[in-house]
Amino acid sequence: MSTHIGAQEGAIAQTVLLPGDPLRARYIAETFLEHAVLYNEVRGMYGYTGHYGNQRISVQGTGMGVPSISIYAHELLADYGARTLIRVGSCGAMQEHIRIRDLILAMSCSTDSAVNRGRFGAADYAPTADFALLHGAYRSAQERGYPVHVGNILTSDVFYNDDAESMKRLTAHGTLAVEMESAALYTLAARFKARALAILTVSDHLVSGEQTTAEERQTSFNQMIELALDTALAENINTPA
Ligand code: HPA
């Protein structure tokens, strides 16, 4: 048991997929994992452990935003020995050339969150993906023929953002997309000498205003989970970070 996860010791795999929505955790467990067992329902933040191929994999909902994912990532790393955390989430595209439903691999995260400012004082820390995971996910996307972009994203504390000017400047500096969790995930993984990657699907477009239908979201969500599971299965990720 940890403060927010009611699992027994050993009930959570070393590799954990992290959707924001706990109902997505249930969907992933029921659709993609074999013999999935529910290990947490505290606050309705479902967590399951099952098998994919010969690999034991867990999937844990994180909720939305830096504080919520920080709680779950910290407890997975500190209390349950998780070593590989793969966020599977959605994002808003910030570049014209990116299409709705495309996949984005977050190589690094800019952030407006105050959490890392507090943690690093005067330094601007650059939360960064694990290279082996990033490389594995990119290769899998290419092999499967899925449209994928790799680069810097923005992890924001704000969904309804009034500050259009700072978003424009980030776009001018190549930021691919905005979401609300990955900078915290990468920072905590680094702190615990573990590996992390965020794989995102584009659910809405901040430049064109386009949005996905529920059906499109489901198709691209499944593609993202396939990439995450390919990545989790790749042999090189279970060597020490
Ligand atoms: N902003 C922040 N997070 C998001 C968005 C967005 O536009 N779309 C999906 N997650």
Side-chain angles (χ1 to χ4, degrees):
M1 300 271 177
S2 60
T3 307
H4 300 87
I5 303 175
Q8 300 300 320
E9 201 183 325
I12 304 180
Q14 289 197 346
T15 299
V16 188
L17 267 50
L18 300 170
D21 180 351
L23 295 178
R24 292 289 198 184
R26 171 173 287 174
Y27 171 82
I28 294 166
E30 288 175 351
T31 312
F32 292 93
L33 300 184
E34 285 176 58
H35 312 298
V37 173
L38 177 73
Y39 65 74
N40 185 57
E41 43 187 345
V42 176
R43 287 176 184 255
M45 203 58 84
Y46 301 126
Y48 294 82
T49 299
H51 277 82
Y52 184 74
N54 59 6
Q55 177 118 348
R56 194 165 170 252
I57 293 196
S58 293
V59 50
Q60 170 67 55
T62 66
M64 289 181 281
V66 163
S68 189
I69 195 171
S70 296
I71 288 170
Y72 292 100
H74 183 104
E75 292 181 21
L76 289 169
L77 292 160
D79 300 320
Y80 294 99
R83 303 303 301 148
T84 299
L85 299 179
I86 304 177
R87 167 164 151 67
V88 283
S90 63
C91 64
M94 294 170 60
Q95 299 289 333
E96 242 167 78
H97 71 275
I98 295 175
R99 307 251 73 82
I100 217 98
R101 289 186 46 192
D102 285 0
L103 292 158
I104 294 194
L105 305 179
M107 184 156 68
S108 58
C109 308
S110 305
T111 185
D112 59 21
S113 169
V115 174
N116 275 11
R117 216 167 298 140
R119 193 179 263 129
F120 295 107
D124 285 330
Y125 180 73
T128 306
D130 176 77
F131 182 72
L133 293 179
L134 179 65
H135 188 249
Y138 183 71
R139 198 179 42 205
S140 158
Q142 296 240 297
E143 283 169 8
R144 287 177 177 272
Y146 294 165
V148 67
H149 309 267
V150 182
N152 184 241
I153 64 159
L154 172 68
T155 296
S156 178
D157 278 351
V158 190
F159 187 88
Y160 298 105
N161 193 342
D162 288 334
D163 187 359
E165 282 313 308
S166 70
M167 293 302 275
K168 272 189 201 153
R169 272 196 298 275
L170 285 158
T171 295
H173 287 78
T175 305
L176 299 180
V178 55
E179 51 83 78
M180 303 183 73
E181 294 83 14
S182 299
L185 176 66
Y186 288 2
T187 304
L188 284 165
R191 170 75 183 72
F192 286 92
K193 297 190 170 21
R195 303 172 190 277
L197 175 68
I199 305 177
L200 307 167
T201 60
V202 176
S203 61
D204 50 285
H205 208 296
L206 272 59
V207 183
S208 70
E210 224 184 326
Q211 293 193 344
T212 39
T213 63
E215 193 185 336
E216 286 172 336
R217 276 200 296 279
Q218 195 61 52
T219 306
S220 51
F221 183 82
N222 287 347
Q223 293 181 344
M224 172 172 65
I225 303 306
E226 286 163 7
L227 277 202
L229 290 169
D230 281 355
T231 307
L233 274 195
E235 57 189 347
N236 59 352
I237 67 165
N238 282 323
T239 52

